[in-house]
Amino acid sequence: MKRAKYLTVLFAGTLVYVALSLCFGRNSVKCYSQMEEQKRIVSKQKAEIQNINTELTLELNALKNDMAVIAAYARKMDYVSDGEQLVKITGLKPYQNTLYDTGAVIHHQSPEYVSEKLCKLAGICVALLVLVILLANDIRKGEIVLGKNKKVLVTGVPVYNVPLT
């Protein structure tokens, strides 16, 4: 077999290994897109939580400093100030605390990928398959003869070893 055939075997195995690694390996395009999607979800959740934090901060400042807001909250909880009269109406729901949505819990998800060992094994298997195909092709063409039954065919002018007298 010529050197080009050996290089073809190495090239085929390397090509399969690199293709699998780039498409489905640990640092592949597929993993990158999965991590980008997870980053987008986390960024969206972070923005929602920051909005909630801003609203709560504004509400806290209003409760600390604005007397009208303090009075409104006190009335919601059935408090009255001096000089006000309390009128009780039946059939209405009692005061309920407002629950704030603090967002959903997001857990880290590891990206799915094909192991490096499997990529290497696939490359080696393809290289061996190409090697077997090239060897079988050489045997079929007669470039490689297996076994001890080599037939020698002499063509041209026969030459004999004749002793000189």
Side-chain angles (χ1 to χ4, degrees), residues 32-137:
Y32 180 76
S33 64
Q34 288 176 356
M35 288 186 283
E36 282 292 323
E37 177 65 21
Q38 190 169 6
K39 179 182 173 184
R40 187 189 62 76
I41 291 170
V42 168
S43 295
K44 181 181 173 186
Q45 185 68 19
K46 178 186 168 197
E48 289 177 9
I49 291 173
Q50 284 177 338
N51 289 340
I52 292 169
N53 187 31
T54 303
E55 289 175 11
L56 290 174
T57 303
L58 290 173
E59 192 172 329
L60 177 65
N61 288 337
L63 283 172
K64 285 182 178 178
N65 302 325
D66 192 357
M67 294 307 289
V69 174
I70 295 171
Y73 269 90
R75 285 190 188 95
K76 275 187 180 178
M77 296 188 303
D78 295 333
Y79 287 102
V80 293
S81 64
D82 293 337
E84 289 183 339
Q85 292 184 351
L86 183 61
V87 177
K88 210 166 198 187
I89 302 173
T90 58
L92 295 179
K93 291 182 181 178
Y95 170 74
Q96 294 179 348
N97 288 337
T98 305
L99 297 177
Y100 295 99
D101 180 25
T102 57
V105 176
I106 297 177
H107 296 284
H108 171 71
Q109 294 177 350
S110 297
E112 298 174 3
Y113 59 89
V114 176
S115 70
E116 189 73 16
K117 192 182 284 186
L118 188 62
C119 292
K120 289 178 182 177
L121 183 63
I124 290 171
C125 289
V126 167
L128 290 176
L129 179 66
V130 170
L131 179 66
V132 167
I133 289 171
L134 291 176
L135 285 174
N137 190 29

Side-chain angles (χ1 to χ4, degrees), residues 1 6 90 104 123 156:
M1 209 168 16
Y6 290 117
T90 58

